[in-house]
């Protein structure tokens, strides 16, 4: 029996749109799901944005204030795609109102924020899914199985990279993303949070780390109006960039493996260069987000001069079969969010967590806090 679930979206920038489109698509790709999302409400503080979303996507109600969503009894589940500094307040309010939440990472500004939202979700006995979308790529799921099977032997070391140029332009506006009070960390929360999640998803818990950070573009112009995405601004008053553009981090895993995690938001010439290389005692596995449906795999008994083969993922890998019938057919970024929506709705339907949870967000946020402390102290920091 299929039942309807009233959903709302809070924050309608790019990510709010992605969530909304995922809700619309999820019944097409996962017809066996026992819940069907109904777009009940959308909220955004920018004048006219919520009304535009309602007209385009069919939300029943549009609001400037997210508190109206929390008070709406028709809303049973909420996507939280607002800026980082609002995550804790909105997450707590929605959980306390008995609403399931699908919240974007990094779930607040600190590990304390993420833990508070996680505790509220547990106390309210609602489900909480977090936007660590890269783990949803079928190739990443296949890599995890390959590693767990022992085909590349005992993992010795991993390198995870997340390089982008979204903040590389010197005319990029000084939005909330660059402020400690509203954005919290910089590239740590934006990109390294995904790197930590991939590290844990593939190799297990991180035991200790040491990190170094840097700000390469120290001043930007303040915007004169509402912003969305990565707006440029010229002629405005210059202000300081308060959080990091770059981080590199050494990782020690509980398994004994070692790792390098590097992320940068001002890498000229790099567009979404995200990926990993995992090396083991008998082989290796490589993934590049820009070639999302491929894995480079080295396995065998040669050790030295052992070749690497390109393997195309197919219907047996992750949720690939919900999108394509045969190997090497392309998937895209938005498909990963459809998978995430499916995990969220399935969690609610079965009252069992699927996909990335608030507990994963807490682990990631704790690692990010440790990176910041390590960069400040110049020392290794243990993770409890």
């Amino acid at each position: 029996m299929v039942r309807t679930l009233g959903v709302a979206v809070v924050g309608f920038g790019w990510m709010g749109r992605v969530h909304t489109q995922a809700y619309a698509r999820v019944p097409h790709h996962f017809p066996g799901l026992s819940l069907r999302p109904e777009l009940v409400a959308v909220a955004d503080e920018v004048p006219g944005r919520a009304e535009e979303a309602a007209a385009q996507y069919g939300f029943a109600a549009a609001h400037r204030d997210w508190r109206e969503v929390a008070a709406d009894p028709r809303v049973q589940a909420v996507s939280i795609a607002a800026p980082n500094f609002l995550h804790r307040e909105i997450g707590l309010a929605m959980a306390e109102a008995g609403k399931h939440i699908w919240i974007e990472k990094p779930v607040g500004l600190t590990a304390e924020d993420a833990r508070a939202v996680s505790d509220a979700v547990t106390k309210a006995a609602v489900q909480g899914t977090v936007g660590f979308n890269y783990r949803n790529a079928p190739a990443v799921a296949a890599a995890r199985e390959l590693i767990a099977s022992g085909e590349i032997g005992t993992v010795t070391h991993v390198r995870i990279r997340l390089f982008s140029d979204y903040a590389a332009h010197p005319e990029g506006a000084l939005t909330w993303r660059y402020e400690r009070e509203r954005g919290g960390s910089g590239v740590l929360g934006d990109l390294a949070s995904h790197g930590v999640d991939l590290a844990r998803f593939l190799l297990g818990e991180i035991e200790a780390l040491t990190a170094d950070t840097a700000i390469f573009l120290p001043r930007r112009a303040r915007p004169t109006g509402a912003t969305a995405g990565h707006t440029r601004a010229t002629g405005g008053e210059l202000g300081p960039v308060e959080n990091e553009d770059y981080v590199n981090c050494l990782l020690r895993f509980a398994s004994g493996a070692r790792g390098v995690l590097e992320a940068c938001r001002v890498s000229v010439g790099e567009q979404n260069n995200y990926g990993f290389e995992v090396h083991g005692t008998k082989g290796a596995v490589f993934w590049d987000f820009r070639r999302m449906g491929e894995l480079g795999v080295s396995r065998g008994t040669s050790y030295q001069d052992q070749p690497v083969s390109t393997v195309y993922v197919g219907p047996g890998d992750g949720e690939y079969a919900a999108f394509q019938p045969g190997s090497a057919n392309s998937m895209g970024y938005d498909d990963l969010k459809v998978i995430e929506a499916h995990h969220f709705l399935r969690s609610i339907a079965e009252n069992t967590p699927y996909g990335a949870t608030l507990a994963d967000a807490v682990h990631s946020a704790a690692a990010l806090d440790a990176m910041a402390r390590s960069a400040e102290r110049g020392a290794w920091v243990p993770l409890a």
Side-chain angles (χ1 to χ4, degrees):
M1 178 180 176
V2 177
R3 60 188 177 93
T4 300
L5 183 81
V7 302
V9 176
V10 174
F12 209 77
W14 169 61
M15 190 51 65
R17 290 179 181 271
V18 174
H19 277 232
T20 301
Q21 290 159 184
Y23 284 131
R25 291 178 57 197
V26 73
H28 306 157
H29 295 282
F30 298 95
L33 190 63
S34 63
L35 291 177
R36 290 291 182 272
E38 178 184 0
L39 300 178
V40 171
V42 57
D44 195 290
E45 65 177 10
V46 176
R49 189 180 282 175
E51 289 77 10
E52 176 190 342
Q56 183 176 0
Y57 293 101
F59 288 96
H63 306 289
R64 288 281 300 278
D65 191 338
W66 59 264
R67 293 169 185 81
E68 295 185 65
V69 172
D72 191 338
R74 299 172 300 169
V75 175
Q76 298 162 280
V78 181
S79 280
I80 302 173
N84 298 350
F85 68 96
L86 294 172
H87 285 186
R88 177 172 180 159
E89 183 182 9
I90 298 174
L92 292 179
M94 296 302 175
E96 289 166 2
K99 303 181 191 305
H100 308 281
I101 63 172
W102 176 11
I103 186 168
E104 278 305 314
K105 55 81 208 169
V107 190
L109 306 182
T110 64
E112 181 185 352
D113 287 348
R115 194 170 292 110
V117 177
S118 179
D119 289 346
V121 163
T122 300
K123 182 178 179 180
V126 295
Q127 295 297 321
T129 294
V130 179
F132 288 128
N133 39 263
Y134 298 109
R135 65 155 63 189
N136 298 326
V140 175
R144 187 188 195 207
E145 290 189 7
L146 186 72
I147 292 165
S149 73
E151 285 197 60
I152 65 169
T154 300
V155 172
T156 53
H157 58 104
V158 59
R159 184 173 68 147
I160 299 172
R161 69 187 184 282
L162 299 108
F163 298 145
S164 185
D165 64 357
Y166 68 80
H169 202 290
E171 294 178 0
L174 187 67
T175 64
W176 60 267
R177 293 181 181 276
Y178 304 100
E179 300 174 0
R180 285 286 179 192
E181 185 176 351
R182 297 193 297 164
S185 61
V187 77
L188 289 179
D190 279 354
L191 296 180
S193 58
H194 284 297
V196 172
D197 185 65
L198 284 173
R200 294 183 60 250
F201 186 70
L202 294 169
L203 302 185
E205 297 304 329
I206 299 167
E207 193 171 73
L209 57 81
T210 185
D212 184 33
T213 63
I215 298 174
F216 296 135
L217 293 176
R219 294 177 69 79
R220 295 179 182 270
R222 300 186 188 279
T224 57
T227 61
H230 305 290
T231 308
R232 292 186 192 173
T234 56
E237 178 189 357
L238 292 178
V241 172
E242 298 174 349
N243 50 33
E244 71 290 333
D245 291 323
Y246 170 84
V247 61
N248 65 63
C249 182
L250 299 180
L251 306 170
R252 292 176 183 163
F253 292 86
S255 66
R258 298 296 193 263
V260 176
L261 190 161
E262 191 177 16
C264 185
R265 65 187 181 187
V266 297
S267 296
V268 175
E270 300 281 15
Q271 297 86 39
N272 301 315
N273 182 359
Y274 310 151
F276 56 75
E277 299 105 43
V278 180
H279 295 267
T281 53
K282 295 194 300 182
V285 59
F286 310 89
W287 181 69
D288 186 329
F289 169 66
R290 298 165 301 178
R291 304 176 70 120
M292 191 167 68
E294 301 178 18
L295 281 178
V297 179
S298 179
R299 52 191 165 189
T301 57
S302 299
Y303 300 100
Q304 187 177 3
D305 298 326
Q306 186 163 284
V308 177
S309 301
T310 298
V311 177
Y312 296 100
V313 297
D317 299 311
E319 301 290 356
Y320 184 93
F323 298 86
Q324 300 294 348
S327 299
N329 284 300
S330 298
M331 289 177 62
Y333 176 90
D334 286 15
D335 296 330
L336 305 185
K337 285 301 193 185
V338 175
I339 294 171
E340 207 164 271
H342 172 245
H343 288 157
F344 180 45
L345 297 171
R346 186 182 178 191
S347 297
I348 297 168
E350 301 180 18
N351 196 32
T352 300
Y354 289 95
T357 67
L358 267 299
D360 293 310
V362 171
H363 281 289
S364 177
L368 301 184
D369 284 2
M371 289 180 198
R373 292 197 304 275
S374 174
E376 182 180 348
R377 300 172 186 173
W380 282 87
V381 175
L383 286 165

